[in-house]
Amino acid sequence: MDKTYNPQQIETQWYQTWESRGYFQPDGKGNPYCIMIPPPNVTGTLHMGHAFQDTLMDILVRYHRMHGDNTLWQPGTDHAGIATQMVVERQLNAEGQTRHDLGREAFVDKIWAWKAQSGGTIQNQMRRLGASVDWSRERFTMDEGLSTAVRDVFIQLYREGLIYRGQRLVNWDPVLQTAVSDLEVESAEEQGSIWRLRYPLADGDETLVVATTRPETMLGDTAVAVNPEDERYRHLIGRRVKLPLVGREIPIVADEYVDASFGTGCLKITPAHDFNDYEVGRRHGCEPINIFTGDARVNANAPAAYQGLDRYEARERIVADLEAAGLLEGIDAHKLMVPRCDRTGAVIEPYLTYQWFVDLTRETQSDGRPGGWAEITRPAIQAVRQGHIRFVPENWTKTYYNWLEDIQDWCISRQLWWGHRIPAWYDEAGNVYVGEDEQAVRAAHGLDEATALTRDEDVLDTWFSSALWPFSTLGWPDETPELASFYPTSVLVTGFDIIFFWVARMIMMGLKFRGDVPFREVYIHGLVRDSEGAKMSKSKGNVLDPIDIVDGIDLESLVAKRTTGLMQPQRAGAIEKQTRKAFPEGIAAHGTDALRFTFASLATTGRDVVFDMGRVDGYRNFCNKLWNAARFVLMNTEGQDCGTSGGEQTLGTAERWIISRLQTTERTVNDAIAGYRMDQAAQAIYEFIWDEYCDWYLELSKPALQDAGDDAAARGTRRTLVTVLEAVLRLAHPIMPFVTEAIWQRVAPLAGVSGETVMTQPFPVAEPAREDPEAEAEIDWLQRFILGIRRIRGEMDIAPGKPLPVLLGNASAQDLDRLERHRAALDFLGRLESVTVLDAADNAPESALALVDQLEIRVPMAGLIDKDAELTRLEKERSRLAGDIQRTEGKLGNERFVTRAPADVVQKERDKLAEAQTALGRIEDQINRIARL
């Protein structure tokens, strides 16, 4: 093996080997185990959330593959309607063209050409991270098979009355000019205003003052609402006001939705441009009046003076006109939540438009057939309630119920050109016909060529095709062998933010079209945040590219990457400054395994995954530790007799101990992965490899390896070194696939194990018969003895290599027996000069003391240290600690600091004070003891 661990040399080579030999494909043996990858956007690159999630899935897949299951990890990408269309439109804009210049067909062809050229980035990044997906089965939500599934589902739901076209209020992006889902809307607090407007009563000289954050929408007002309990306005309920600038009379209505304490307590109701107003208006029979065009300009439903103005231009004109008419009461500064499209940054407009919907709310249809609540929504709730699907952690079940029990019909149409075009046609009278294609529609409805048909321009929401992912990827609507084997799938691994948008809809569609749930378990993980706990986003400049952590990146390239393509270019300077401060040397190369182990260690049950580069550094060291341990083992076993051909073997206490500890670790790791606690699995592997195998067993093995007079003991030690290492490589492989494979190739033959790759070897399972409590108790005693000696060396500043005379007091018969058995190891690891057992009557000289239960381990100080030099050193340390204590006590005694600083900062200072006081006590004890010498 190379002297230095170099992940770049081993990772690409081994991934290519695994993929080319077909190791990622199901082998047709064992119980089926299947995970569907949440399809990333075809436009995308791998971000930290993808890398975290893919690592968790790969751990599960590799674990089950090694357990002998018939394992399929199904890959694929999503056509990402909005994102993909925007990418290609920007390219056209750069060439001075728009999609309308090309026309729909040519524009869609251009997108397909772009996908063929640039759409494979994320797949190559997944390969770099070791994702063992079955690439031979990769799907795309717009490929022919999945498009057929989407079309068939739409047609069936339409024919059953569960899809309809209607006029509803939707989230509208006036830049893209399409409806968008709630997930594509990001709301953030921004500075705005509250305008107080006077609305004159129609039957007198009084005025009502309404408060609004969007005065431009007043052109579409259909009522003014007050709270029925508000004494100020109770006498006005039922009367009418004359809408300023418009002249329309509108009613004053009473509705409990109105917050009497907000603004003036009078709320203008604009049903066509506010979701809450829409519901209030519906309760009071107010007909919505849409005053905007698709690009958020004032339309012909408003007075001519404002028609054609952009919504914000209209706002300025309307406010000025109201002020001129004496109807502007005042303007107050006000912070409010502003919804923006996460793609364009445009402020979302609640917009009344005709869209296609899936019915999820009706118990029965008007013709008596079951409605969407009975046919789709309720079965999805019952599937979880009856235990057919289990959420992990279980608390997410409540979130799932809350969303479904308060569900609205699902808007599935988008005003885009890229996507699954809705299979609906219209005749000149506006009649709708749904079918596979125009020819099928004409045949089904007896329409000849003389009847002109026009296809619906809209495409389906990307989430519609994603909802079919668990069965469409397996070949549905055909009844394929894969569908029979792998549906229902085993587990869905996903973030909590899409439980409703994706998880619930897959459950709905799976039950509806397959008659069974799409997966048995849903493992919900947290969302990756930066080291300060903030959400990672391009606009904040705190995004990390996982491949940069793997390969490394210099500072200038990192700055360029973080400041290029910003939606808010003015943020570039602040992002550059922040980046240079956080990564003054750029990012060093860590390799894939260190990053994956970091992700596993962070996979707790919490909502947030706080990512810290310091942890990746630590796990890079861990990979290096494992590499160096393997080199030590190979240097002491290759070309040596490791017992694979027989021969007497003696297992000492250390060998029995490490084998026993391995059983405990194997049990812990199996239980942790089966319970979706990758953090606990990673911790168990880390502690066994670093703390037990490397730090203790390798050291304990050296005396036996160096004892030329005991062949059986040396053979047993070599055998244990290689078999335990081989087993722990299999144990760690799902988390760290590359370094374990590279080492296993060298170690496996020495352990008598054959095979082409570690990834198809059986996963280690604990064997209770190999557990050895007696050996564990013996080594525990030895470890505490050695640690006691090391602590004394550290406290007394005694050089590690200096042999120490040791006195033992209060030694039991068991202590003496263990001392005799482990004397060679104690001398070797503790660097002991001599061991003297004191009688009860003996007076011990002034000594440093350590305890192992009742056993007293004493190291006489006389002659071991320079008394004057040591006292000088200790006095200096005492002065430093006393100064630290004084400063911290002063800070904690400052009432302004204690009351104003964050609680965690104050607690950190208190902890620092307690640690310093404890350390000062130890120093003073040492000074007193040394002074007595």
Side-chain angles (χ1 to χ4, degrees), residues 173-251:
D173 183 325
V175 173
L176 295 172
Q177 296 191 43
T178 180
V180 294
S181 73
D182 288 346
L183 195 65
E184 292 153 332
V185 177
E186 291 186 346
S187 293
E189 189 175 71
E190 297 183 17
Q191 185 62 53
S193 301
I194 292 179
W195 285 265
R196 288 177 280 115
L197 315 179
R198 293 187 175 278
Y199 282 18
L201 265 69
D203 58 358
D205 297 330
E206 292 181 79
T207 59
L208 267 184
V209 179
V210 302
T212 180
T213 58
R214 303 183 66 210
E216 66 276 13
T217 63
M218 66 159 291
L219 303 177
D221 285 0
T222 59
V224 172
V226 298
N227 191 292
E229 303 300 320
D230 193 335
E231 295 288 346
R232 295 173 295 174
Y233 306 116
R234 188 176 284 175
H235 67 289
L236 298 176
I237 295 169
R239 294 169 68 181
R240 302 175 78 81
V241 296
K242 193 169 185 178
L243 188 61
L245 310 182
V246 178
R248 184 168 61 245
E249 289 191 7
I250 59 177

Side-chain angles (χ1 to χ4, degrees), residues 637-681:
T637 55
E638 282 187 319
Q640 302 286 325
D641 181 0
C642 295
T644 53
S645 303
E648 184 183 355
Q649 296 177 36
T650 301
L651 297 184
T653 308
E655 283 66 48
R656 290 162 44 216
W657 166 75
I658 196 65
I659 291 168
S660 181
R661 295 301 305 145
L662 177 63
Q663 309 315 306
T664 301
T665 305
E666 289 171 350
R667 181 180 298 106
T668 300
V669 172
N670 274 281
D671 290 347
I673 296 178
Y676 303 107
R677 290 302 303 269
M678 311 309 167
D679 57 324
Q680 294 177 352

